[in-house]
Amino acid sequence: MANESMGLVGRKLGMTQIYSEDGHVQPCTVVQCGPNTVLQVKTTDGRDGYNALQLGFGEQKPQRLTKAELGHSKKAGVEHGVRYIREVRVDADTVANNEPGKTLGPADVFTPGETVDATGISKGKGFAGVMKRHNFQGFIRSHGTHEFFRHGGSIGCRLTPGRVAKGKKMPGHMGARQVTVQNMEVAKIDAERNLLYVVGGVPGATGSIVTIRKAVKA
Amino acid sequence: MNLIQQLESEMLSNRDREDVDVRAGDTVRVHVRIREGEKTRVQVFEGAVIRIRKGGPRTTITVRKISNGVGVERIFPTQSPDLTRIEVIGRHKVRRAKLHFLRSRRGKSARLKPIRDFKRKKSKN
């Protein structure tokens, strides 16, 4: 079963803090979640075979898009080019309530207090060692250790089995992959400016594109 | 100015309380609203400001006092809606921004040199 929860595409603006009603400080990520335009509605009965909304976010100069891309957004009634396109799988009711060209903001989809899942591309850490990448302990700094402080130690046995176990945690590229943080609380919605305040940190760098969806496990 | 900075400056201009000039070395009375179940009451915490962390609406002050012989420090977000009032009742001559050295001092050596008439001096400006 696909995850059929409604969501929006937005840009992570950064973090700040606000006060909850009981006076506590809440660290919040501010996400500009709109305006999102429905570019295409996919249905089970149609040629796509599943229910989904294709959402467009942000403007792009026409000369930076292909004619096909321009035509696609124009078909939905969007005059300017669309920079980011994301798709969210939704249930049949949501599909019925949406049509191409409809503009959505955070206030249309979310309510304060609700939980959401935030998906983004995490910050890239480059080629990282095992301490940073897998939280290995490294080695003690004294008792004769030299040139071995951040190493991972042995990676296997001897003639038996004579190979390194599959999935062995080793250094390598870290970050810059899709990460979803589940069950984050919506603290506040600024409908005028299409801003969504989510408690906690949303994956990704400031300015990156994130997808906020209603929590699957709410 | 990016939008986050704009939002934070709006938070500062939207509050109902006056901006208080608090500095390190000040003796302050912080009026804190305390919620106990249904009831709320205001408690006053009086002590010396030993640290200010600036950051627009995220600004906090650390207030230290000696309570029953035990040093107590509380960190207050200055823009918290639970702070009804911050009163500066004394100012002292200090030569650094963070007064962490006061933690290792007791009694006489923990005194700061007061600036007399600091209120009058301020009004002159």
Side-chain angles (χ1 to χ4, degrees):
Chain A
M1 183 75 185
N3 167 18
E4 292 183 338
S5 51
M6 181 58 183
L8 288 176
V9 189
R11 181 186 295 278
K12 174 173 167 177
L13 293 180
M15 293 192 70
T16 184
Q17 63 187 29
I18 61 173
Y19 291 93
S20 65
E21 269 180 25
D22 54 0
H24 290 296
V25 168
Q26 283 185 311
C28 284
T29 307
V30 184
V31 182
Q32 183 155 34
C33 258
N36 275 197
T37 317
V38 180
L39 295 181
Q40 192 183 342
V41 176
K42 301 186 174 182
T43 55
T44 357
D45 315 324
R47 63 174 155 180
D48 301 296
Y50 60 95
N51 288 326
L53 297 181
Q54 193 184 65
L55 302 170
F57 173 69
E59 288 185 27
Q60 183 68 290
K61 287 179 183 173
Q63 67 263 35
R64 291 194 179 147
L65 295 168
T66 64
K67 280 191 174 173
E69 286 165 334
L70 269 177
H72 184 62
S73 54
K74 203 158 265 178
K75 211 162 135 191
V78 186
E79 280 313 304
H80 56 80
V82 171
R83 183 154 178 199
Y84 303 102
I85 297 175
R86 295 287 185 278
E87 189 173 293
V88 282
R89 296 280 289 252
V90 292
D91 54 27
D93 289 345
T94 320
V95 161
N97 289 333
N98 285 283
E99 57 193 26
K102 187 172 176 185
T103 309
L104 297 167
D108 304 320
V109 180
F110 305 111
T111 48
E114 189 180 28
T115 50
V116 293
D117 296 341
T119 305
I121 305 292
S122 64
K123 284 185 184 175
K125 309 289 180 193
F127 193 98
V130 286
M131 284 181 71
K132 190 184 183 96
R133 192 173 184 224
H134 299 298
N135 299 322
F136 280 20
Q137 286 194 318
F139 277 75
I140 50 170
R141 317 297 266 180
S142 60
H143 294 287
T145 308
H146 59 101
E147 296 98 39
F148 214 73
F149 299 111
R150 299 183 62 88
H151 287 220
S154 167
I155 57 166
C157 311
R158 222 173 146 184
L159 187 62
T160 337
R163 58 184 178 84
V164 175
K166 275 189 180 175
K168 174 73 195 139
K169 291 174 180 173
M170 299 234 266
H173 195 274
M174 182 183 170
R177 63 190 175 89
Q178 180 173 303
V179 176
T180 302
V181 177
Q182 295 185 324
N183 294 327
M184 305 181 84
E185 192 191 331
V186 175
K188 188 175 150 185
I189 290 169
D190 183 342
E192 218 166 277
R193 282 180 289 199
N194 289 317
L195 302 181
L196 184 71
Y197 290 65
V198 184
V199 180
V202 167
T206 295
S208 63
I209 295 302
V210 294
T211 311
I212 311 285
R213 310 182 65 180
K214 288 184 184 244
V216 189
K217 294 178 182 169
Chain B
M1 191 154 79
N2 70 31
L3 200 50
I4 290 283
Q5 288 165 333
Q6 196 184 324
L7 292 172
E8 293 200 330
S9 66
E10 280 170 26
M11 282 182 219
L12 277 181
S13 49
N14 285 348
R15 78 222 137 133
D16 42 6
R17 206 150 29 81
E18 281 290 296
D19 201 5
V20 189
D21 174 32
V22 180
R23 301 177 193 181
D26 283 0
T27 304
V28 292
R29 290 166 66 88
V30 184
H31 298 246
V32 205
R33 195 181 295 131
I34 302 215
R35 297 155 202 235
E36 290 168 329
E38 295 288 289
K39 279 189 279 183
T40 62
R41 62 191 177 85
V42 173
Q43 195 182 61
V44 179
F45 191 92
E46 182 177 332
V49 177
I50 62 164
R51 170 173 57 190
I52 300 176
R53 290 185 67 186
K54 294 225 173 189
R58 289 169 281 110
T59 303
T60 62
I61 56 173
T62 302
V63 183
R64 177 179 173 87
K65 73 169 176 184
I66 307 291
S67 172
N68 298 326
V70 183
V72 179
E73 282 177 23
R74 273 191 77 173
I75 301 170
F76 297 104
T78 51
Q79 298 305 316
S80 166
D82 279 351
L83 295 194
T84 50
R85 199 147 77 99
I86 301 174
E87 263 179 281
V88 181
I89 56 176
R91 181 150 292 167
H92 299 86
K93 186 182 174 190
V94 289
R95 302 179 77 160
R96 54 207 76 225
K98 315 282 179 206
L99 309 179
H100 297 147
F101 68 90
L102 285 179
R103 290 172 178 164
S104 54
R105 305 274 186 95
R106 293 266 134 157
K108 255 189 182 179
S109 64
R111 284 173 308 166
L112 297 168
K113 190 181 175 190
I115 299 173
R116 294 232 170 93
D117 308 328
F118 82 96
K119 276 178 182 157
R120 204 169 65 200
K121 267 182 199 153
K122 204 166 60 179
S123 59
K124 231 185 251 176
N125 294 332

